[in-house]
Amino acid sequence: IGWEGVGLCSYLLIGFWYKNQDFNDAAKKAFIMNRIGDLGLLIGIFIIGALFSSLDFTTIQTAISGTESFNMTWIGIATFALFIGACGKSAQIPLYTWLPDAMAGPTPVSALIHAATMVTAGIFMITRLNFLFDITPDVQMIIAVIGAVTSLAAATIGLVQTDIKKVLAYSTVSQLGLMFLALGLGAYEIAVFHVITHAFFKACLFLGSGSVIHTLHGEQDMRKMGGLRKAMPITFITMLVSSLAISGIPPLAGFFSKDEILMTAFHNNIALWVIGSVASIMTAFYMFR
């Protein structure tokens, strides 16, 4: 119910300025794409319920660590279905296109729901069910690959966006991809660490962009901005600090969490490490743009 409820809140908040048809379309798009993900989540829940005749985390964990053997194919299908649910909520390829459109909502909402809270629900769910995902290594590999590809693709799109909030939206998709890369490599605590660090610096960036948009009377095109440092010194400082954090500059928080993710990738799979590193370098580039 919470999973669906937060999707409803997202829908209502994206369509906040309901007189603008584009915003209404964006809200519907987010709602429908989340329904696709939620169907996956439901299928996963039903399969787990059928296999273990319980939906209680502790019961499932005890059953798995016990002696009786389960049909691994079905557990694999269940974890994959749950991952589809996480893809919808956490904006991974191919269900990521709703998040940039979700920026139609008011900026404080984007900062809270579409950067820090709702979009990390999929990551939390996979972390919470780590004992299930650990016994399905094939699904974990799919998660790692999709996470890495998403982080690279979203970073590439972010390089050429002109709308200040769209850049931050693609940046969010890219960072979520890195979190999924960590999940797929079994580094759950590192993924959650990045969830927490990202929540702070990305919310700060969104609020800073909101401050800029408000000062410029609703202008969101970055090509028409510049030289705002003298006019808005406090926003300048906050944006600079959070941009340094998301770019992974020590001693700020983003450095530690990204470093851990890339180190895990380096030890497990060099190809994924390369993709993750390139995406992280692009992050620094488009943030300072």
Side-chain angles (χ1 to χ4, degrees):
I1 291 169
W3 188 269
E4 298 284 357
V6 82
L8 175 67
C9 294
S10 176
Y11 164 77
L12 294 170
L13 287 163
I14 296 166
F16 180 74
W17 286 297
Y18 57 91
K19 294 200 169 90
N20 181 328
Q21 191 50 45
D22 290 345
F23 293 179
N24 287 335
D25 293 342
K28 281 183 283 197
K29 181 175 183 179
F31 196 73
I32 293 162
M33 284 194 132
N34 269 306
R35 292 292 75 71
I36 299 170
D38 294 342
L39 177 65
L41 180 76
L42 271 177
I43 293 170
I45 292 173
F46 289 147
I47 295 173
I48 288 172
L51 286 174
F52 300 101
S53 56
S54 166
L55 293 175
D56 186 61
F57 289 133
T58 331
T59 318
I60 299 170
Q61 196 165 6
T62 321
I64 285 176
S65 53
T67 47
E68 58 178 316
S69 61
F70 289 101
N71 185 335
M72 292 312 292
T73 319
W74 277 108
I75 292 187
I77 295 170
T79 51
F80 184 67
L82 290 170
F83 172 57
I84 293 172
C87 271
K89 191 64 84 193
S90 298
Q92 295 300 290
I93 285 173
L95 298 175
Y96 74 98
T97 48
W98 66 270
L99 189 61
D101 291 5
M103 296 304 135
T107 313
V109 172
S110 308
L112 175 68
I113 293 196
H114 301 127
T117 318
M118 183 185 101
V119 288
T120 51
I123 291 149
F124 175 78
M125 178 195 56
I126 292 180
T127 307
R128 192 69 188 76
L129 288 166
N130 59 54
F131 46 87
L132 266 183
F133 284 85
D134 276 338
I135 56 174
T136 53
D138 296 348
V139 177
Q140 279 196 315
M141 195 61 217
I142 296 172
I143 295 175
V145 170
I146 287 187
V149 171
T150 304
S151 80
L152 184 63
T156 328
I157 303 172
L159 292 175
V160 293
Q161 293 294 317
T162 52
D163 181 327
I164 186 168
K165 281 175 77 178
K166 281 270 163 65
V167 175
L168 292 176
Y170 282 110
S171 155
T172 303
V173 178
S174 177
Q175 299 305 308
L176 289 164
L178 286 175
M179 294 169 206
F180 274 102
L181 170 60
L183 289 175
L185 298 171
Y188 302 101
E189 66 282 17
I190 298 170
V192 173
F193 182 30
H194 195 54
V195 164
I196 293 166
T197 58
H198 171 259
F200 283 97
F201 52 66
K202 181 55 61 66
C204 185
L205 283 162
F206 264 115
L207 292 171
S209 75
S211 166
V212 171
I213 293 165
H214 185 68
T215 311
L216 299 179
H217 305 292
E219 182 56 66
Q220 296 193 15
D221 191 335
M222 292 202 301
R223 293 169 298 186
K224 299 179 182 168
M225 297 175 190
L228 294 172
R229 178 169 63 98
K230 294 187 184 71
M232 311 169 66
I234 296 173
T235 305
F236 168 74
I237 292 164
T238 53
M239 287 289 273
L240 179 65
V241 170
S242 43
S243 296
L244 287 171
I246 196 173
S247 306
I249 309 289
L252 297 161
F255 163 73
F256 296 100
S257 55
K258 276 194 177 179
D259 186 52
E260 290 280 333
I261 291 174
L262 292 174
M263 186 187 76
T264 313
F266 186 76
H267 287 315
N268 283 284
N269 189 318
I270 294 292
L272 291 179
W273 171 72
V274 170
I275 297 176
S277 303
V278 172
S280 297
I281 293 163
M282 284 182 180
T283 304
F285 183 78
Y286 62 68
M287 285 322 302
F288 282 94
R289 222 184 106 221

